[in-house]
Amino acid sequence: MTAVSARPARRTVSDVSGAQSIVGRGAELAVLDGVLDRLARRPMVHVVGEPGIGKSGLLSALAGLAAARDVPMVVGRATEFEAHAPFAAVVDALDEPIAEALADGTVTLDAATVAQLADVFPSLDVPPADVDAEPHKLFRAVRAALESLAGPRGLVVAFDDVHWADQATLDLLRYLVRRPPAEIGRAHV
């Protein structure tokens, strides 16, 4: 896993195609750009730093870098008011992309996997499975969905403000770090 420290910014400006200019983040942007070069190896990046130091700005810059390479990116944000809502940040990142990909046929998942996902993702219009009984099945279903969503260009999955995330989201993220989407090997969290 690559760690990027969001230290106080120096007074240099980095130009990021498709994103706002970002001050003093040349080294961090180079790391993130390098991560995009290594999508096939499923890199993991952990951006850490004090509140207000620019971590969210780095994620915005990453979105610009990914867009310039035509690599899709989804972002989930954990918030204080949803800190007790199970999987809130995961739903924020993946609900619409999964539903749209299933509806337009760009992703095909078996019925059992979709039923597992439907218990968490409200945009899926199918009867849900009972995730409370076996949460590891949901984790595998999310992993399968990420593998399918990644496609040939890869996929960047980012979560912001994870310190506000609920326990279920944290458990899922830990699972994905231990068992990253594998078959096509292009998705990362």
Side-chain angles (χ1 to χ4, degrees):
M1 182 182 306
T2 303
V4 177
S5 176
R7 58 178 167 31
R10 292 180 298 247
R11 290 289 173 197
T12 59
V13 177
S14 300
D15 181 25
V16 178
S17 179
Q20 329 173 35
S21 292
I22 189 165
V23 176
R25 299 288 185 230
E28 292 88 348
L29 291 171
V31 169
L32 294 175
D33 196 46
V35 166
L36 292 173
D37 288 335
R38 298 186 313 274
L39 282 182
R41 289 185 268 165
R42 301 173 308 212
M44 304 284 172
V45 178
H46 186 195
V47 179
V48 295
E50 295 297 318
I53 202 77
K55 299 176 299 294
S56 296
L58 284 173
L59 285 181
S60 293
L62 176 60
L65 293 168
R69 293 173 179 232
D70 199 30
V71 174
M73 179 170 170
V74 295
V75 179
R77 288 179 174 78
T79 62
E80 180 178 10
F81 69 91
E82 294 176 315
H84 300 291
F87 302 107
V90 178
V91 170
D92 185 42
L94 297 174
D95 186 44
E96 288 180 23
I98 290 172
E100 290 171 5
L102 285 169
D104 68 19
T106 55
V107 165
T108 55
L109 298 168
D110 63 69
T113 299
V114 175
Q116 289 293 324
L117 295 170
D119 203 38
V120 172
F121 298 103
S123 294
L124 299 180
D125 192 23
V126 298
D130 183 10
V131 173
D132 291 332
E134 300 181 74
H136 66 280
K137 287 184 178 180
L138 170 66
F139 294 177
R140 286 196 303 258
V142 170
R143 182 174 175 239
L146 288 171
E147 289 173 350
S148 294
L149 284 172
R153 293 175 296 168
L155 176 67
V156 176
V157 181
F159 293 95
D160 197 9
D161 292 329
V162 174
H163 62 280
W164 290 118
D166 60 279
Q167 190 60 50
T169 296
L170 295 174
D171 290 344
L172 174 60
L173 294 178
R174 285 185 194 104
Y175 171 85
L176 292 171
V177 167
R178 285 190 318 272
R179 293 177 182 85
E183 187 172 303
I184 56 175
R186 289 183 171 86
H188 75 277
V189 177

